[in-house]
Amino acid sequence: PTYLPTDDPAEFNFFFDAASRQCCCVAPERFYDPGSDIAQRLAAAGGADGGQPGVQPSMDIFSAGCVIAELFLDGNPLFSLSRLLQYRRGAIAGSALAADIPDGEVAGLVQHMLQLDPAARHSAAEYLERWAGVFPGAPMAAYMDRAGPDARMRALHEEMDEVPDQMCEITASVACANVRNCALPSSRSLGIKVLLRCNRRPASGDLELAVPYLVALASDPSPRVRAEAVVGLRDLLVGVRQLAPINVNIFDDYVVPHLQALAGDGSSMVRSMLASVLGDVADASSSVAAGPGAGPAGGAMRALVSRLSFDAAEVKHVLLCSFPRLYEHGLQSLSHIITYLNDRDCWFLRAAFFDVVFAAAVQISWQASREYIVPLINLADSEVFVAVSALRALVRLVPQMSPAMLWDKLVEVQALHAVPPLRRGAREFVDFALANAALPLPPDTARLALDIARLELPQPAVEPPAEPLVEPPAEPPAEPAEERLVRIRDIG
C-alpha cells in the first residue's frame, strides 16, 4: 500500500519489516493519522488507496536517503518506525539525522534527501548532478550497462581506480553478486582482484563480505582460479587487525577446514600455492587470537601442515620456505623436515633444507642443533650446490656446536679444500669457527683450524694466449682514393 496508519503498526510490519530488522525507510508523508482526510478517503474506498496518487518520486528519494545513511553508519538503520513517526511530528530535528556520518558531503546529501517537505527534495537527476562526487558512475555503469556477469566483471576491474574508498563496499557487493555466475575463469579471476582492491581498509565488515566468496572460489573447476582464491584469501586475512566477537573462531572453524580440502587437490600448482600461504595464515590467526587456544596452534592447522609435509617434492620445497614461522607457532617440527634429506633424487630439496636451517638457526635450540641438525649436515653430498648450502648452515650453527662436533666438521672441511667450488666456503667456516666458537677450543682443535686457515687459496693459472695454427692472411694495402676513383670512372 501507498499509505499506512500511524496507530496500527501491523500493516507496516507485514509489508515493510518482515525480517524484523526494526528498520523503516518509508517516507513520512505516506503515514496518515486517524480522522485525517487520507483516512476518510481510504475508509470511503473500502481500504483501497481511494483515488489517492500512488508512490511519488519524492517518496523514493526519501527511502534512498535512508539507505545511503545506513551505508555510512556501518549498517545501522537511521530510522525505526517509532523514530520515524517522531521525526514526522517534529520531535527530532532534521539537522541531527546525519550528524554521525563522517563524510561532510554525504551528510549534506542525506540531510537534503530526508526533508519533511516532499516538494523541497530534488529529483534523482538533480542529486546526481549536484553531488556528482558522491555518486561514482563506474560501478553502477558496470552493473547496469553490461549484458552478462563476465562483461560486468571486466568493466568493474577496468574502472576500479575511479571508485572512491567510501564506495568500496557497494562495489564489493556488485562483484560478489556476479563473480560466481561468470562463465569464464578469467572473469572469475578478475572478480577476485576486484574484491581484494575493495578491501582497502581492513575491517571485519569487509572480511565477512568477501571471505565466503573467496572460500567458494577455492573450489572452482579451474586450477588457476583456485590458486588465485587461496592467495586472495591470504591477502585478505593478513590485513585484519581485529574481529567481531562472533568471528573470533573464523580460522579454526571456517577458513582452515576449507583449506584442508585443498590439500588433496589434483593440481600441484594449487597445493604449492596452499603451502606458500600457510605461514601468513598462521601469523594472521595469531594476531587476532582472543586468548589461549585461539591462535594458529589448532589441530586442523597442524594436520594440514603435516599432510603437505609428505606431498610431492615441489610442494615440500614451497612448504620449507614457511618453516621458520610454522616452527615458531608450533605447527611444524624439525622431525617433519629432517625426512626431506632422505629424498636422494631431489637435490634442490636437500639444499632448501640447509637454507632453512641457515634462516632459522636462531630459533633452533642448542640441544636440537647438537642432536639433530649438525650430525645430519653432509658436506660430502654428491651435488656441489647442496654442499655449498650445507656449509652456509654450518657457519650459522658454529656457536651451538660442542668442541667434539667442531673437530669432526673441521676434519670434513679440510677435505673440501681440494674441491674448487667449496674452497672459499670452507675458509669462511674456519675463520668463523676461530672467532665465534661457544667455548675455548681445545689445543688440537685450534691447531687443526689454524692449519686449515694457513692454507693458501690456489690462484687460477694464467695461461699464455695460444698461438694460431694458421697465420691469418695479411690485409691488402689501402688503395689511394685517386686510383679508386679512376677505376670507378673506367667501369662506368
Side-chain angles (χ1 to χ4, degrees):
T2 304
Y3 297 98
L4 303 167
T6 59
D7 59 344
D8 185 9
E11 197 166 351
F12 167 80
N13 292 333
F14 181 79
F15 287 103
F16 297 99
D17 197 23
S20 300
R21 289 189 62 234
Q22 301 297 319
C23 174
C24 180
C25 297
V26 180
E29 61 267 23
R30 296 179 64 178
F31 290 90
Y32 61 89
D33 296 320
S36 64
D37 293 342
I38 297 179
Q40 295 176 7
R41 293 171 186 171
L42 292 177
D49 283 347
Q52 295 292 324
V55 177
Q56 301 298 308
S58 59
M59 300 176 181
D60 288 336
I61 291 296
F62 185 94
S63 300
C66 294
V67 173
I68 294 174
E70 185 174 341
L71 289 174
F72 288 89
L73 292 175
D74 296 329
N76 298 314
L78 187 62
F79 290 113
S80 62
L81 177 59
S82 59
R83 179 177 168 84
L84 181 74
L85 295 178
Q86 291 177 359
Y87 175 60
R88 178 177 174 269
R89 294 193 301 266
I92 299 176
S95 58
L97 296 177
D100 295 333
I101 297 178
D103 192 302
E105 290 190 15
V106 176
L109 168 68
V110 170
Q111 186 173 342
H112 197 281
M113 297 176 75
L114 299 182
Q115 296 182 87
L116 282 174
D117 184 7
R121 303 170 198 154
H122 292 331
S123 66
E126 289 173 328
Y127 281 116
L128 289 173
E129 181 179 357
R130 182 173 175 181
W131 277 275
V134 178
F135 296 102
M140 297 304 105
Y143 185 72
M144 300 298 294
D145 299 341
R146 303 303 192 276
D150 293 277
R152 294 171 189 163
M153 196 57 63
R154 287 194 296 271
L156 271 179
H157 183 263
E158 292 172 358
E159 299 172 347
M160 271 302 298
D161 293 336
E162 303 175 12
V163 179
D165 291 345
Q166 62 267 27
M167 301 302 292
C168 281
E169 187 171 351
I170 299 177
T171 308
S173 300
V174 174
C176 290
N178 288 274
V179 64
R180 296 182 66 181
N181 297 320
C182 292
L184 300 176
S186 59
S187 300
R188 297 194 291 272
S189 298
L190 293 179
I192 295 174
K193 295 180 175 64
V194 170
L195 287 175
L196 294 177
R197 295 183 67 179
C198 288
N199 188 47
R200 297 173 184 173
R201 291 178 296 179
S204 59
D206 295 333
L207 185 66
E208 294 169 354
L209 176 66
V211 164
Y213 287 91
L214 292 176
V215 168
L217 288 171
S219 303
D220 193 87
S222 170
R224 172 189 169 188
V225 177
R226 296 199 299 271
E228 292 188 3
V230 169
V231 176
L233 197 60
R234 184 271 313 272
D235 294 342
L236 192 66
L237 294 175
V238 296
V240 177
R241 295 295 176 264
Q242 60 182 358
L243 290 174
I246 195 174
N247 292 327
V248 292
N249 295 322
I250 187 174
F251 287 90
D252 292 337
D253 296 344
Y254 186 70
V255 175
V256 176
H258 282 87
L259 292 180
Q260 275 186 308
L262 295 176
D265 195 276
S267 171
S268 61
M269 176 186 67
V270 177
R271 301 197 307 274
S272 298
M273 201 64 69
L274 174 63
S276 70
V277 306
L278 290 183
D280 292 323
V281 173
D283 291 342
S285 175
S286 178
S287 65
V288 299
M301 188 73 168
R302 191 178 295 107
L304 175 59
V305 174
S306 177
R307 185 172 180 181
L308 292 177
S309 299
F310 298 95
D311 208 307
E314 59 270 19
V315 179
K316 293 191 288 187
H317 185 227
V318 176
L319 188 64
L320 267 176
C321 300
S322 300
F323 172 77
R325 285 182 290 174
L326 297 177
Y327 182 76
E328 179 183 358
H329 294 301
L331 299 176
Q332 193 175 27
S333 63
L334 286 171
S335 59
H336 277 140
I337 64 172
I338 285 176
T339 59
Y340 295 175
L341 296 175
N342 297 329
D343 198 336
R344 307 310 300 174
D345 296 330
C346 296
W347 62 268
F348 62 87
L349 199 58
R350 303 196 302 275
F353 169 82
F354 293 120
D355 290 337
V356 167
V357 171
F358 175 83
V362 179
Q363 302 176 10
I364 299 175
S365 64
W366 285 41
Q367 182 179 2
S369 298
R370 294 183 177 186
E371 294 184 4
Y372 299 106
I373 302 300
V374 175
L376 293 174
I377 296 181
N378 180 19
L379 299 179
D381 196 282
S382 57
E383 291 288 341
V384 175
F385 193 83
V386 178
V388 171
S389 299
L391 268 175
R392 293 177 66 245
L394 200 61
V395 171
R396 291 293 297 269
L397 294 174
V398 164
Q400 304 179 22
M401 294 169 61
S402 64
M405 288 182 174
L406 191 58
W407 169 269
D408 293 338
K409 294 305 175 184
L410 283 172
V411 172
E412 295 182 38
V413 168
Q414 188 178 24
L416 297 180
H417 204 272
V419 183
L422 303 178
R423 289 170 184 163
R424 192 166 299 279
R427 172 61 65 85
E428 291 178 0
F429 169 73
V430 174
D431 293 341
F432 195 83
L434 290 173
N436 298 277
L439 299 172
L441 296 178
D444 52 353
T445 305
R447 179 60 181 271
L448 176 60
L450 289 173
D451 290 343
I452 299 175
R454 290 193 184 101
L455 293 175
E456 294 290 339
L457 290 177
Q459 302 296 326
V462 180
E463 299 181 358
E467 296 182 359
L469 299 178
V470 181
E471 290 290 337
E475 296 183 0
E479 191 175 12
E482 294 82 359
E483 295 184 8
R484 187 164 59 252
L485 182 61
V486 171
R487 285 188 179 184
I488 292 175
R489 288 176 178 172
D490 293 342
I491 294 174

